[in-house]
Amino acid sequence: MKRRKLLAIGVTAYGTILAGCTSNEDEKEPSPVDGDDAGNSNENENDDNNGDTAGETEAEDVEVVIGALVDGDQIHLVVEDVTHQTELGSFFEADEGNEFVVVSLAVKNVSDEFPEISNLLQTSLHDSEDYSYNKTFVGGEKPTFNDGPFAPGEVERGVIVFEAPVDASGLELQFDFDVSVSGGGNQVHVDLESETNVHTLEQDLQIEISDIGQTIEYGGTEVSVNSVEFEDSLGRFAEPDPGNEYAVIDISITNETGEEQRVSTLLQMLVKDEKGYSYQEDWTAATELDQEFDESSPIEDGETRRGKVAYQIEEDLSPLYWVFEFDMWVNGDKTFWQLR
């Protein structure tokens, strides 16, 4: 049967709270300012490591179990694990009679395009009595699954957390490969109470990777990674968890678009490791930086703004990338710099 392609959708959860660096040149790609090739393109085309090919399924309206590969036209998906917890860290506790259902998800872009995924619109939890539960906005010990556009060969791995009654049974994760205003088909239902050998998705980025010190331009916005430092402490109130460290990245952004632009360290920037885990800015660590990147005001036309952004990551991760999305609403501009 003919499979449907994943419909590209925007990350609408944030509405218009913050506008990214905008451009009307949809067809244009980010390019090095100096004209040199941007680093080396990783062209590893090895097949994903699969311990059990029996779990492979095409992306139709199907039912699978934990560990099985769902093979879509653009996206491969695997639910790797699920845990049930009444607490997440020291600050989040489920309501009485409820628990957190922590789903570990891995997704890989196997196309040469930049499809988008939305946690809010494409994932939900259901039980045997047809009740559904939306995701919460709290995370677990592992990095949260980061949605948005996916570069060719990119893997995103992380947790999605739901809150449901402790006595709910027949739990399944529903993932909508097709999403539209009128509703979509092509749903995958993952039985969270059964499992097979876990199929492992491996990241092999099929895009150009920029180096530290290189400036990339897109739509009149220029971005540089000037340097990176790895620290085991940033002050009294910024100590990483055991086994972790801070990556402090010095960046510069120049606005030559002809109008002021806003930049968001939360929505446009992250650090990514080889396994596909994404790390957001550590706000506690940021308070200890003497030259924190200032996003409190727009960058004026002709202005260059420089500052530092801090991330808490596992120690000695390599390879490690800093990722910037030039435009929140345009596909194909997601750019990677190699930090290690």
Side-chain angles (χ1 to χ4, degrees), residues 110-130:
V110 295
S111 75
D112 58 2
E113 300 177 4
F114 283 75
E116 297 200 22
I117 290 178
S118 167
N119 290 343
L120 184 64
L121 299 180
Q122 290 176 265
T123 62
S124 57
L125 184 71
H126 298 257
D127 66 17
S128 60
E129 296 184 358
D130 297 326

Side-chain angles (χ1 to χ4, degrees), residues 154-212:
E154 181 179 0
V155 168
E156 178 61 29
R157 181 174 269 115
V159 298
I160 301 177
V161 182
F162 304 87
E163 186 172 350
V166 173
D167 59 0
S169 61
L171 291 177
E172 66 176 28
L173 178 75
Q174 179 176 301
F175 186 90
D176 295 319
F177 269 79
D178 293 326
V179 175
S180 66
V181 175
S182 60
N186 212 10
Q187 295 176 345
V188 175
H189 302 266
V190 184
D191 182 351
L192 299 181
E193 298 178 357
S194 302
E195 61 184 346
T196 186
N197 293 340
V198 176
H199 182 104
T200 302
L201 297 176
E202 296 184 349
Q203 182 167 262
D204 57 318
L205 295 170
Q206 301 298 307
I207 57 173
E208 293 182 329
I209 308 297
S210 302
D211 296 322
I212 293 175

